[in-house]
Amino acid sequence: MTTTLSGVITAQGGKVTKNEYWGLKSLSYRIAKNRKAHLTLLNIDAPSAALNEIERQERLSEDVLRYLTIRVEAHEEGPSAMMRKSDRDDRGDRGDRGDRGDRGPRRPRRDEGGDDAVEAVTGEE
């Protein structure tokens, strides 16, 4: 699909500066009974006629669930945020959890302790 769209762009006088395949991702919600989708990023430098043709072909294709075209002043150099593995894997420390021994005394559950638990729940002595 991306090679077809790239061919249309070059035929219309534009160029594709970056083509990133982000892989098969789970969708936040179902779209046309689909739970997963293949995501691709294309950085395009093309005239408006080429973009109109691309969007027309994306609307007609049953394989395209969603598309988004955004105009930017300058393209981002290097890999996109989705492709930067160091940002995803370097989450840092999640805080000092220790052995969690400092939680304090545990309240009795209703099904534990027999009469003491009933007193705590009903307020009777």
Side-chain angles (χ1 to χ4, degrees):
M1 188 79 173
T2 56
T3 56
T4 305
L5 295 176
S6 299
V8 170
I9 292 168
T10 55
Q12 296 277 336
K15 61 180 178 178
V16 177
T17 58
K18 187 192 309 185
N19 182 357
E20 284 185 359
Y21 175 66
W22 290 351
L24 184 66
K25 302 286 183 183
S26 295
L27 299 173
S28 298
Y29 54 91
R30 291 174 124 186
I31 301 173
K33 298 184 182 179
N34 292 302
R35 295 175 189 248
K36 294 187 176 191
H38 295 273
L39 302 179
T40 303
L41 169 72
L42 294 175
N43 281 357
I44 300 169
D45 186 16
S48 62
L51 293 176
N52 290 336
E53 178 62 22
I54 291 294
E55 289 180 351
R56 186 185 73 81
Q57 288 188 10
E58 289 171 334
R59 279 192 303 272
L60 293 175
S61 175
E62 292 180 1
D63 294 332
V64 177
L65 298 176
R66 294 277 193 272
Y67 66 90
L68 178 65
T69 305
I70 300 173
R71 182 179 182 167
V72 295
E73 295 297 321
H75 291 294
E76 182 182 80
E77 294 296 324
S80 65
M82 291 288 286
M83 297 302 288
R84 284 187 223 130
K85 188 169 176 64
S86 62
D87 288 348
R88 291 184 297 182
D89 292 340
D90 188 25
R91 292 186 177 180
D93 191 20
R94 296 182 75 180
D96 183 26
R97 294 184 181 189
D99 61 354
R100 296 188 178 216
D102 59 343
R103 288 185 157 183
R106 201 180 83 169
R107 291 180 42 198
R109 296 171 63 180
R110 286 186 178 184
D111 58 347
E112 290 180 358
D115 294 335
D116 293 335
V118 173
E119 285 180 14
V121 174
T122 60
E124 298 176 8
E125 290 190 26

